[in-house]
C-alpha cells in the first residue's frame, strides 16, 4: 500500500503544477517504502537520506514555482496561498531541525508520513482553484 495515491488529487489544468504534484507523490511513496525497509533492518539508510534531501529541494521548488505563476497571472488570493506554503515549510523545517539535532530519522519520516493529509487537502482546496484561475489567464493570453 502506498502512502498517498495520485487518484486522491484533483487533476489540474496547469500541466506543470500537475506534473510537480505527481513527482511529489512519487517521492513521498519512495521515502515511505525506504523508511519501512530501514526500520526492518535493511541497508537503505543512504538511499533514504538521498530521497529525503530530494524531497526537501522538491517541495521548496514546488511552492516557489506556484508562487511565481500566481504573481505572473495576478492571482487575487496570492497572500493566502503563499501563507499556507510558508506554514507548511516552517513545520517541515522544524521536523528537519529535530532530525538533524537528535540524529533521529523518525522525526522527519513521521512528519512525512503525516503530510499527505495536508498535501491532499491543499492541492484539492487551494491549488485546484489557483490552477483553474491561471489556466483561464493562460488561455486569454494565448
Ligand atoms: Fe501544489
Ligand atoms: Fe500550493
Amino acid at each position: 500500500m502506498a502512502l498517498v495515491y495520485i487518484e486522491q488529487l484533483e487533476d489540474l489544468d496547469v500541466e506543470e503544477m500537475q506534473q510537480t504534484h505527481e513527482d511529489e507523490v512519487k517521492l513521498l511513496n519512495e521515502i515511505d517504502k525506504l523508511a519501512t525497509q530501514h526500520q526492518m533492518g535493511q541497508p537503505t539508510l543512504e538511499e533514504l537520506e538521498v530521497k529525503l534531501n530530494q524531497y526537501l529541494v522538491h517541495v521548496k521548488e514546488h511552492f516557489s514555482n506556484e508562487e511565481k505563476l500566481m504573481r505572473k497571472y495576478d492571482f487575487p488570493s496570492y497572500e493566502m496561498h503563499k501563507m499556507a506554503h510558508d506554514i507548511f515549510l516552517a513545520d517541515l523545517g522544524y521536523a528537519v531541525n529535530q532530525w538533524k539535532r537528535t540524529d533521529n530519522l523518525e522525526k522527519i519520516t513521521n512528519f512525512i508520513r503525516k503530510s499527505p493529509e495536508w498535501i491532499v487537502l491543499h492541492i484539492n482546496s487551494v491549488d485546484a482553484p489557483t490552477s483553474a484561475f491561471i489556466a483561464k489567464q493562460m488561455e486569454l493570453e494565448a
Side-chain angles (χ1 to χ4, degrees), residues 62-63 66 81 85 122 126-127:
H62 165 186
F63 292 172
E66 270 179 21
H81 193 150
H85 289 167
H122 179 81
V126 182
D127 285 353

Side-chain angles (χ1 to χ4, degrees), residues 12-94:
L12 304 188
D13 291 335
V14 178
E15 190 44 43
E16 58 177 292
M17 289 176 76
Q18 179 64 22
Q19 192 55 53
T20 298
H21 294 157
E22 290 182 17
D23 293 342
E24 201 154 298
V25 162
K26 229 177 268 169
L27 269 174
L28 288 169
N29 286 328
E30 284 168 350
I31 288 170
D32 178 48
K33 194 171 155 203
L34 288 166
T36 301
Q37 290 170 341
H38 173 67
Q39 281 167 331
M40 293 191 311
Q42 290 175 36
T44 57
L45 183 60
E46 219 172 294
E47 214 185 326
L48 175 56
E49 284 174 342
V50 168
K51 285 285 167 203
L52 282 167
N53 287 319
Q54 275 178 16
Y55 168 76
L56 296 176
V57 171
H58 192 271
V59 75
K60 281 177 199 154
E61 280 179 4
H62 165 186
F63 292 172
S64 78
N65 284 336
E66 270 179 21
E67 288 158 16
K68 222 182 279 167
L69 273 174
M70 287 192 272
R71 288 194 300 270
K72 183 173 177 194
Y73 292 101
D74 273 323
F75 181 59
S77 303
Y78 172 80
E79 292 298 334
M80 185 274 290
H81 193 150
K82 182 174 189 313
M83 197 188 288
H85 289 167
D86 289 346
I87 291 170
F88 182 84
L89 288 179
D91 290 345
L92 175 63
Y94 182 78

Side-chain angles (χ1 to χ4, degrees), residues 118-132:
W118 183 90
I119 288 162
V120 170
L121 185 70
H122 179 81
I123 289 173
N124 293 346
S125 64
V126 182
D127 285 353
T130 303
S131 164

